[in-house]
Amino acid sequence: MHATQYDIPSELLAGRVILVTGATQGIGRAVALGAARHGATVVLLARNIKRLEAVYDEIVSAGSPEPAAIPLDLLTASDEDFNAVAFKIHQELGRLDGIVHCASHFYALSPLRDQGIEEWMNQFRINTVAPAALTRACLPLLAQSPDASVLAVGESHGLHPGPYWGGFAVSHAGLPHWVKMAASEWDVCPNLRINLLVPGPVQSPQRTRTHPGEAKTEVPPTDSVVPAFLYWLGPQSRGQSGQIIELNPQR
């Protein structure tokens, strides 16, 4: 289904608590604002405190439910840090109904021969390991929700390999396997679901870096994919798990 073909009620996420990583820019910011507009209490997670405060203030100014903000650098986060995030959400909000893993780490397009170990390890740390580790830490909270949805945000080149994408693409290639394994393990829990959403090309800081000469009018705006995220977070997608959803074709 195309990103714009979702019918989203205005109070779709009312009463729900949704954790969004990478919530201060690009798709993460757009999803956080969209979820808040549709009634969710959003937990904003990112490493830059000033940007966290800016998104926090924007949500409050719009009259949406007051969010929570958690500064965390996923590159250095440990199991203890992820457990602390889950504990803080439980302590302050008492529930968790969804996670959107928007945080992503990208260096630059380059041939494989130029990509060192540290570059690969850092991209795997944020793009592959962090979503699994944070979800594991939050799983007891999610299991208590009557309807919990986890969304991993994929990348087109993780599904369709191409030259020069290197460790970034390979790190994202692990997400479909994790999503399908988790969905299979959770199939005894009808209140839990997990899916992979691949937005495709949209206007974002990363797109600007990978396609510096591209006019913004050549790709959809970031907000165009938000309805799809809301659908897969909300009750309309209940019972659908282990899916890989590509919103826009690869360019």
Side-chain angles (χ1 to χ4, degrees):
M1 182 178 287
H2 192 272
T4 59
Q5 296 177 333
Y6 293 87
D7 181 21
I8 306 300
S10 60
E11 294 298 314
L12 177 79
L13 302 179
R16 300 189 183 218
V17 175
I18 305 295
L19 170 61
V20 181
T21 73
T24 58
Q25 59 181 344
I27 291 175
R29 176 180 173 277
V31 170
L33 294 174
R37 284 195 304 270
H38 287 78
T41 297
V42 180
V43 181
L44 308 166
L45 189 149
R47 64 179 179 175
N48 188 299
I49 295 177
K50 288 186 177 180
R51 289 179 179 175
L52 274 173
E53 292 173 345
V55 179
Y56 181 102
D57 290 344
E58 188 171 355
I59 290 174
V60 171
S61 297
S64 299
E66 183 178 2
I70 301 177
L72 182 65
D73 188 347
L74 297 178
L75 188 59
T76 58
S78 64
D79 276 333
E80 289 73 20
D81 294 323
F82 291 124
N83 290 338
V85 169
F87 178 78
K88 184 172 184 179
I89 294 172
H90 174 68
Q91 188 177 46
E92 295 187 4
L93 300 172
R95 63 184 295 167
L96 182 64
D97 305 285
I99 305 176
V100 190
H101 295 289
C102 294
S104 183
H105 194 43
F106 170 79
Y107 279 90
L109 296 177
S110 63
L112 291 169
R113 66 172 180 270
D114 294 338
Q115 299 187 16
I117 290 176
E118 182 177 358
E119 184 174 334
W120 274 59
M121 291 297 290
N122 290 348
Q123 289 176 118
F124 267 90
R125 183 89 181 182
I126 293 179
N127 302 340
T128 319
V129 176
L134 181 57
T135 300
R136 178 207 59 78
C138 292
L139 191 56
L141 267 179
L142 293 167
Q144 294 174 24
S145 169
D147 182 37
S149 173
V150 176
L151 281 178
V153 180
E155 213 284 331
S156 298
H157 295 88
L159 299 178
H160 312 290
Y164 307 114
W165 289 88
F168 179 75
V170 177
S171 63
H172 276 90
L175 291 177
H177 296 276
W178 169 61
V179 164
K180 287 185 176 295
M181 283 188 287
S184 180
E185 292 183 13
W186 299 355
D187 63 3
V188 295
C189 304
N191 61 312
L192 294 177
R193 63 186 178 281
I194 181 170
N195 294 287
L196 178 70
L197 204 59
V198 184
V202 295
Q203 298 171 19
S204 68
Q206 181 178 297
R207 184 75 182 185
T208 300
R209 293 175 61 192
T210 59
H211 297 73
E214 182 179 68
K216 288 188 175 181
T217 54
E218 294 182 21
V219 294
T222 307
D223 286 345
S224 67
V225 299
V226 172
F229 280 86
L230 299 178
Y231 170 86
W232 288 97
L233 281 172
Q236 296 164 310
S237 63
R238 186 181 178 97
Q240 302 181 67
S241 192
Q243 302 295 310
I244 299 174
I245 305 103
E246 288 190 81
L247 299 181
N248 297 312
Q250 181 187 14
R251 299 186 185 183

